[in-house]
Amino acid sequence: MAKTSALTASPNAPVLLQSLATSNNAPEKFLPASLSSFVGRHREIKAICALVRREEVRLLTLTGPGGVGKTRLAIEAAARLRENYADGAGFVALAGITDPNLVIPAVAQALGIPEADERAALPRLKTFLSRRQVLLVLDNVEHLVAAGPSLTDLLASCPSLSMVVTSRRAIGVYGEHVFRVPPLTLARVGTAADSEELEHPEAIQLFIERARSAVADFEIDDANRDAIVTICRQLDGLPLAIELAAARLAILPPSVLASRLTRRLPLLTGGPRDAPKRLQTMRDAIAWSYDLLSAAEQACFRRLSVCVGGFSLEAAEVIISGDVGRAPAANAPADPPTPLTAIMSLVRGSFLHLHPSPAGESRFLMLETIREYGLEQLATLDEEDAAHGAHAAYFLDLAEQAGAYLWGSEQAEWLDRLEEEQGNLRAALLWSVEGDPDTALRLAGALWPFWRLRFHAREGHAWLERALAAAPAAATPARSTALLGSGTLAWAQGDYARAEQQLTEALNLAEEREDGVHIAHLRLALGRLAWDKGELERARAWFDEALARFQGGKNQHGIAMCVHGLALVAYKLGAYANAAELFNEALAVWKELGYPWGLTCCIPGHLADVARRQGHHRRAATLYRQSLALNWQQKDRENITWNLIGLAAVAAARGDFERVARLLGAASAVREAIDAPLMPDERADYDLAAAGARATLGGEAFDAAWAEGRALAVADVVTAEVRLPDAAEATDAATSTLPGPPEEALTAREAQILRLVVAGWRDKEIADELFISHRTVQTHMGRLFRKLKARSRTAAAAAAVQRGLV
């Protein structure tokens, strides 16, 4: 009996030759039959089928990380496309092939071509397929990409042949089209009219389907719903991970399973015994891809796994190389690839995926399940300190760099950037508190303005307290700055005793070092604290002392802050004309500096307070609405509540008490969302307006209107209020001291773009919305800056609202 080659067709091989020669044979028999249901993926199936049907798309590669479901998706798409191919569709499993030279013979074997040895396979395939219309699915090609030229050669010789390839990385040949397979959705998408929309998000639907294999009567209900959602989110929506987790329900209830998934990989084992080994555990699935990387690429992947929530190319350059004053790690590759080259390889290998940043820059994300594998390898090779140290050093540099911009015209852009990096900043703080306390103190001290301006006060104060406790208690600028920040955030949360203790300690340290700048800032902070406590003369003294320091150093921002503080004292004392004069004096400085807080938050709102106290309610309402719109653009929810309370006070003066209750309910919901108490002055206005409305409406009607306002989305409340001013208020606004209209009229397109800028949209988002190029948006923005005499987006938005242009 003759020996059988490893590639000789077996009796069980899909003999596509028969379906080509005999029309009675259905082509679908040559695609693997599924033993479980196919869940979701409606958008992906539609997109893949549409691509394959395009004449120019003959080689489509489905890429994605291990366990994302590329094979199932390819088979399902092929089943739906088979009617477009007169001669059938076939499936070729290549995971067991290790030599790229054997790919073409393996395809020939799967098609039932006899004696298809390595030399004869390609010519025989060309002859066989040149006049036939066939769709081939080639599965698991990531380790065989060197066979790419042979595949394109085959396609060139067979004009009616198409291929769908699954691979964890692109093949990288001419004519290849790449479709990245995403994880399953974790939220419902589409509309009710979409007949293919699932009752549950795809990830949860898959979990339910597979859970019933372990527990026959399993159902999702109110008791287990939150745990199931948590499990699917922890597993990044990866189908393989979800299936492995669902199998654990045979011994673990959902709540226990969710709690145990803090460490994912040890739990995600026990896949079907007839599945390939690489798919029996999640760790094996990732390891398969990891082993395909070069040693240098593996080192880059390990170091980048310390990033949380994604990273920029700039961050990758530092973390991979170990820059920022640090020597490269002992295990770092001697001749590492450039960060861009390494990232390209990791994207191709599905370890990373590109995620658009709001600022329009390239940003890269790593699924948490994959990141956990990278951290395991980092620990195994004792590289943790080097990687975390480089990571913390980069984000310390970023936070300290941001400090130069948080009080100027680029404030919003830098606050957005720090917001985007919160995962990395938390990771850097967590490591440095235990591993490098000095870095932790500097980092937390640099971040306190961000925590204050975006109102992450509770979290920020906790980090500052931890950093202060961990670092040596030396009289250093870093400690003084951290105490200033911690005291300020304690004040923002209403803990006045702790705030005064920490600010006083910081002032003593600054005076010990004769640090004039710190002394001025700390006296300013103590002045604001005294004002909130109702100690007006003490507050005035602190503001006067700080003002003298700032004037000596010609610090215009500090001067404006002190003048603003003195205006607050005058306002509280009832000297409204003097308060308005001082507020406008501070406004003039901040207009020159382009400082958003003064332009968009403080001044219109405080001038509205003055107008309301003077009985000018229409003017007050207009100013509150201007401030409301600008605070929304600046994402300052703390000051949004202040404006809502001010508008409620105006409504109370007009006798519109249902509106008072709704506005107060909305303000209460926003404050609860940011976990911040009302300041004493705000609380007094809130309580006074609420008491009047309750007395007039009655308790039941007030509570109903208050609950209605509380249930509204803050965006809806802001939008409704900003659009509300009537003709009388618009006329009153024209008499205000704010700047008049621009000399040059805006075009319709410029007005359209300006409205989106005020709403907080970035250039790329505007371009996508209006179907124009990014460059065109930038050209329009340049004209808007000139016409509005603005130097930043924030200043342009402020001018637009103040002048009634939106």
Side-chain angles (χ1 to χ4, degrees), residues 667-721:
S668 173
V670 175
R671 272 304 169 113
E672 184 176 301
I674 62 175
D675 192 22
L678 292 171
M679 294 300 185
D681 211 43
E682 295 170 318
R683 170 55 65 186
D685 283 343
Y686 183 101
D687 289 345
L688 183 62
R694 183 178 288 277
T696 304
L697 297 173
E700 186 175 343
F702 174 86
D703 290 342
W706 185 88
E708 180 184 339
R710 185 174 172 80
L712 292 171
V714 63
D716 294 337
V717 177
V718 171
T719 300
E721 285 298 321

Side-chain angles (χ1 to χ4, degrees), residues 142-145 168-170 285-305 337 341-352 366 370 373-374 377:
E142 57 269 359
H143 59 304
L144 303 167
V145 293
R168 300 188 189 187
R169 53 178 172 169
I286 300 170
W288 168 270
S289 295
Y290 179 77
D291 290 341
L292 295 176
L293 298 174
S294 68
E297 290 166 348
Q298 289 176 348
C300 292
F301 162 66
R302 292 194 300 270
R303 292 177 74 84
L304 292 175
S305 68
T341 302
I343 286 173
M344 287 176 63
S345 295
L346 294 174
V347 169
R348 284 197 298 266
S350 299
F351 287 91
L352 300 174
M366 186 182 294
I370 293 175
Y373 182 85
Q377 298 304 306

Side-chain angles (χ1 to χ4, degrees), residues 153-208:
D153 186 9
L154 181 61
L155 286 165
S157 301
C158 305
S160 296
L161 171 66
S162 296
M163 294 182 188
V164 174
V165 172
T166 73
S167 176
R168 300 188 189 187
R169 53 178 172 169
I171 298 174
V173 293
Y174 182 76
E176 178 186 30
H177 294 256
V178 177
F179 182 90
R180 185 183 178 279
V181 178
L184 294 172
T185 57
L186 294 163
R188 282 197 295 270
V189 296
T191 65
D194 185 352
S195 61
E196 293 181 318
E197 183 184 15
L198 295 170
E199 179 183 358
H200 300 291
E202 292 175 345
I204 293 174
Q205 184 72 12
L206 178 65
F207 185 91
I208 296 169

Side-chain angles (χ1 to χ4, degrees), residues 280-333:
Q280 291 185 17
T281 76
M282 199 65 214
R283 183 181 282 111
D284 289 339
I286 300 170
W288 168 270
S289 295
Y290 179 77
D291 290 341
L292 295 176
L293 298 174
S294 68
E297 290 166 348
Q298 289 176 348
C300 292
F301 162 66
R302 292 194 300 270
R303 292 177 74 84
L304 292 175
S305 68
V306 301
C307 295
V308 179
F311 55 88
S312 65
L313 180 60
E314 178 185 59
E317 290 174 335
V318 172
I319 296 166
I320 288 173
S321 63
D323 278 349
V324 192
R326 296 176 181 271
N331 292 326

Side-chain angles (χ1 to χ4, degrees), residues 183-439:
L184 294 172
T185 57
L186 294 163
R188 282 197 295 270
V189 296
T191 65
D194 185 352
S195 61
E196 293 181 318
E197 183 184 15
L198 295 170
E199 179 183 358
H200 300 291
E202 292 175 345
I204 293 174
Q205 184 72 12
L206 178 65
F207 185 91
I208 296 169
E209 291 282 334
R210 300 302 182 258
R212 288 169 181 162
S213 298
V215 181
D217 59 349
F218 181 83
E219 295 291 343
I220 187 170
D221 54 33
D222 291 341
N224 62 25
R225 181 176 286 103
D226 288 346
I228 293 171
V229 170
T230 298
I231 291 167
C232 292
R233 289 192 182 281
Q234 286 178 315
L235 299 178
D236 300 308
L238 288 173
L240 175 61
I242 290 172
E243 293 190 0
L244 292 172
R248 288 285 186 253
L249 291 184
I251 56 174
L252 298 174
S255 59
V256 176
L257 180 60
S259 68
R260 286 175 173 262
L261 280 174
T262 304
R263 290 287 311 282
R264 301 162 179 79
L265 297 181
L267 194 65
L268 301 179
T269 61
R273 292 176 181 174
D274 57 346
K277 182 180 183 300
R278 69 182 188 283
L279 298 181
Q280 291 185 17
T281 76
M282 199 65 214
R283 183 181 282 111
D284 289 339
I286 300 170
W288 168 270
S289 295
Y290 179 77
D291 290 341
L292 295 176
L293 298 174
S294 68
E297 290 166 348
Q298 289 176 348
C300 292
F301 162 66
R302 292 194 300 270
R303 292 177 74 84
L304 292 175
S305 68
V306 301
C307 295
V308 179
F311 55 88
S312 65
L313 180 60
E314 178 185 59
E317 290 174 335
V318 172
I319 296 166
I320 288 173
S321 63
D323 278 349
V324 192
R326 296 176 181 271
N331 292 326
D335 185 22
T338 66
L340 181 58
T341 302
I343 286 173
M344 287 176 63
S345 295
L346 294 174
V347 169
R348 284 197 298 266
S350 299
F351 287 91
L352 300 174
H353 62 272
L354 184 63
H355 181 74
S357 164
E361 300 174 350
S362 294
R363 188 168 181 82
F364 302 91
L365 291 178
M366 186 182 294
L367 295 177
E368 284 300 304
T369 311
I370 293 175
R371 196 174 80 84
E372 184 177 320
Y373 182 85
L375 291 173
E376 284 186 354
Q377 298 304 306
L378 204 64
T380 299
L381 296 171
D382 197 23
E383 297 174 349
E384 290 175 295
D385 285 346
H388 282 291
H391 176 269
Y394 172 79
F395 286 100
L396 170 61
D397 185 66
L398 177 70
E400 292 182 334
Q401 183 184 357
Y405 298 95
L406 291 183
W407 310 111
S409 60
E410 297 180 51
Q411 182 190 72
E413 288 80 358
W414 278 90
L415 288 174
D416 285 348
R417 185 171 180 182
L418 293 176
E419 194 89 58
E420 186 174 43
E421 296 292 2
Q422 275 215 87
N424 283 309
L425 294 169
R426 289 168 179 146
L429 283 164
L430 184 63
W431 176 82
S432 58
V433 161
E434 297 181 358
D436 188 350
D438 289 335
T439 291

